[in-house]
Amino acid sequence: MNSVAAKACISCRDRKRKCDRVTPSCSLCYRLGRRCRYESRILVRSESSALSATNRLHVPKDLPISSPPSFDSAVFLKSSVNIAITEKLALAIGDLSHVRSTATKYFNSVQLWFPVLSESNYYVRLPNAFTGPCAEFSLLSLSMALIVSIPLEKETRESFSSLYMLVKSSIAIVEAANIHSLEVVQSRLLVTLYEVGHAIEPAAFMSLGTTARAAVAIGLNQKLDSSESVIGQKYCTTELGLRVWWAIVMVDRWYTLGRGDGPCATQDLGAPEQLPRDGGIWDHKIISSTEPLPLSTPSSIRVGPFARQAQVSHVLNILMMHLQDQKLGKSFDAESADQIARTLTAFSMLLPEETPQPWPRYCGAIGMCYSAMMTLYESRPRTDLSVEFNRSDAPESLKSVLARMEIVSTKFNLKIQEVDREAISPFPPHGITKAAATRYRLWSETSDVSHLEAADSLLIMARHFSRRWLSAAKLVTRLEKVRGTCVPPNYISPTF
């Protein structure tokens, strides 16, 4: 006999939905993956009114254990999952107009610097979102809604229990139904980016691995055959698959660099060898007459923002192999470090020139570039910081790198009101806060006020990112502690 509550659960009652009062979770909350809570009341025993677990999955009671040949259980299950995930979309986002509004927000923000979806294909399918339920499309729409959401400033684990838990449970349902497709991988990727950007651990660490393997399961890591002629929709899908795999690799490398503990989840799964094409070409199914550019394309050749981000992430991978050699006890390879520094310097000087206003399209590439440069300098043999700062004026020197970062932060802060907070990447704060901490320590050693002004400028920039990403907020908190130890409490900074 199953237990039922005397009254409807709090969630169904608040939403004015019919509740079967099954405990510990009613059927509706169970199907939608939300937390089900009842007020403390005496339970009434009833067998007939309770729904079994199979009923919750829309499986008829009289379904035989061994289905007859004419019954396709896989099709039946997928149909049920299509309806279940689409119901979640309606519950979380609303009707078609709300879904469209969320999509517009996504394509005007995250898509600018992380173009892993086909905007044209999405809007073609959108009108049938509820008339022809599709689990993959609904899951993707939910993931888009999640990544554009900005958590509360003081987010807690409990406050993640709504949309985040809804999307995570939807992924589990789709996976259990053996539904694997490009859209499912895209959904996983957006959820992973959300977890990485908001420092949800260890979920981010685990999701990166499962997302990479989900991509491998459908062949996204396979090398493209440049001799094969692809046209129309197949061309768009092939290019989109390359972009999605590149995006997974990028996030993985940046996350692992920041975490400081490798290896990358994608390390042995195959790195892309071709750069992704410009978004205006592939998304509108415009077939380019030229071959895809190789990863080794010189920085002097103009490529799209996402391709530039791919090139920088490749340098990140080289840097991490260099750092791994040091961890294994090998002697410091100064020649290798200098070559990496020169390559990163070339990108750090190029990217601001390519950066349009407002900032977001090259935001990720700049962020990865400066994260790598500051990590590289921290890995060098320890010397007095002020001595290292004044050791060289070469473009790849610490002094020159910090000077360029100060220029970037000054320009950013002057136009900070024009920068769309929703459209900025979570990548830059890692390098920004490392540079600011270095400047604060230089101020502490030398009392040169220019270091303090530069550090405070970087801190202001990082605070802007912290209003979008909780990972940035955590970095800012650490940086403010560094400032507190280096700068006297009663000292008034010219920058603040």
Side-chain angles (χ1 to χ4, degrees), residues 82-83 86 89 96 124-134 137-138:
N82 285 339
I83 294 171
T86 304
L89 176 64
L96 193 62
V124 166
R125 298 185 61 187
L126 181 59
N128 299 318
F130 295 110
T131 56
C134 174
F137 184 82
S138 296

Side-chain angles (χ1 to χ4, degrees), residues 30 34 55 72 164 175 187 195 288 404 423 430 489:
Y30 179 94
R34 70 188 180 202
N55 282 334
D72 191 337
Y164 173 64
E175 180 181 348
S187 302
E195 292 169 337
S288 175
R404 287 195 296 274
H430 179 255

Side-chain angles (χ1 to χ4, degrees), residues 306-319:
F306 196 61
R308 195 65 84 198
Q309 192 165 294
Q311 288 181 310
V312 175
S313 78
H314 175 64
V315 185
L316 255 67
N317 191 49
I318 296 173
L319 170 60

